[in-house]
Amino acid sequence: MSKPKNWPDSFPYLESPLHAKDLTPTQLQALHTRPVSVAVLPAASTLTPSPNVHIQPIRDASHPAHGQFGLFATQNLRPGAFILAYLGRVHAGLESAAESDYDLWLDREADVAVDAARQGNEGRFVNDYRGVRERANAVFGTGWCERWGEVCVGVWVAGGKNAGKGIRRGDEILVSYGKGFWAERRHAEGGGEEERGGDAKTSWG
Ligand SMILES: C[S@@+](CC[C@H](N)C(=O)[O-])C[C@H]1O[C@@H](n2cnc3c(N)ncnc32)[C@H](O)[C@@H]1O
C-alpha cells in the first residue's frame, strides 16, 4: 500500500472508511443508502493517496499551527471542485470521541460521525483558516462515494458568490471548523463560553 509523503509512521493510513463495531444495522443501512440530495463522487475522484493534495510541515512561525502539519494543493483547483474524502473511524455519534479534534458529523440524523484521531487519510491534516487567512477556501460536506458504496465526508473547494478563483497550486487548504470547535477548546482550557453556538463535534458551515 502506498502512503502519502509525510504521513506519520505512528498512524495507520486508511484507503477506505473503517467501521466501528458498534454501528447498528440501522446506521449501517443509512450509510449504504444513497441520499437523493448529495453529490455523487465517482471512484476516480477518491484515489488514495489523493493526487490533489500533499501533507506539509508548517514551518512559518506566524502560522497558528506552526510545528504541526497542514494540507496543501498540488494543482489549481476550481471553485466548487471536490478535493478528497475525509477517511477515519466511522462510529455511532453517541459514543463520541468528545476529546478528539478530528471528529466530524457524517450523518447527524442517523447519529453517525467519522473520527480521524487515530487513523485516517490526508483529510485529517486540514487546518482551520483562523489566524492564517481571511476566510476558508474549502468546506467539509457529505457525498456518495461510489468507490466504497457509502455516504462519506469530503472536502470541496469553496464555491458560490464569494469563492474567488478557487485554490492555487501550493496554497494551504483551509476550512472553518465552526465557532463551536474553538468555543469547546476555550471551555476545555478554562476560558469563557461567549462564542458557543456550534456543534460539540467539529462542525462545518
Ligand atoms: C484536524 S487537526 C489539523 C491537523 C493538525 N495541524 C495536525 O498536524 O495534526 C486540528 C488541530 O490542528 C490545529 N489547528 C488547526 N487549525 C488551526 C488554527 N487556525 N489555529 C490554531 N490551531 C489550529 C489545532 O491544534 C487543532 O486541534
Side-chain angles (χ1 to χ4, degrees):
M1 188 222 311
S2 80
K3 292 181 191 178
K5 194 174 168 214
N6 290 328
W7 184 262
D9 289 339
S10 49
F11 291 107
Y13 178 70
L14 296 182
E15 295 185 305
S16 57
L18 178 72
H19 289 178
K21 290 205 174 68
D22 64 347
L23 287 170
T24 65
T26 309
Q27 287 171 323
L28 286 167
Q29 194 185 2
L31 270 176
H32 289 119
T33 304
R34 180 177 148 186
V36 280
S37 57
V38 301
V40 175
L41 303 167
S45 67
T46 53
L47 295 174
T48 53
S50 166
N52 293 329
V53 298
H54 63 152
I55 302 163
Q56 255 180 233
I58 307 280
R59 296 208 172 90
D60 175 357
S62 68
H63 193 298
H66 176 233
Q68 302 183 6
F69 288 93
L71 201 61
F72 293 76
T74 54
Q75 54 188 309
N76 296 341
L77 298 164
R78 64 180 166 72
F82 176 72
I83 307 174
L84 83 166
Y86 184 95
L87 297 179
R89 180 171 165 274
V90 179
H91 66 94
L94 272 180
E95 173 257 326
S96 167
E99 71 289 352
S100 172
D101 284 346
Y102 299 80
D103 203 21
L104 297 173
W105 281 112
L106 193 159
D107 183 337
R108 286 193 83 143
E109 208 175 310
D111 195 36
V112 177
V114 54
D115 184 20
R118 293 177 182 205
Q119 58 273 110
N121 70 339
E122 300 94 309
R124 75 186 298 286
F125 291 106
V126 182
N127 286 320
D128 183 278
Y129 75 96
R130 291 167 178 81
V132 187
R133 46 176 285 158
E134 204 177 319
R135 62 172 70 93
N137 58 15
V139 289
F140 287 126
T142 50
W144 174 254
C145 281
E146 289 193 324
R147 176 179 296 277
W148 305 296
E150 66 181 71
V151 182
C152 59
V153 173
V155 185
W156 278 260
V157 182
K161 270 196 306 207
N162 302 319
K165 294 185 175 154
I167 299 178
R168 312 287 303 171
R169 179 179 177 197
D171 282 355
E172 183 172 5
I173 296 166
L174 295 160
V175 296
S176 171
Y177 292 172
K179 286 180 179 174
F181 175 89
W182 298 107
E184 279 293 324
R185 164 139 324 174
R186 277 198 302 278
H187 186 62
E189 287 169 355
E193 290 185 72
E194 66 281 358
E195 252 193 287
R196 186 175 289 279
D199 299 336
K201 286 195 179 56
T202 303
S203 61
W204 53 80

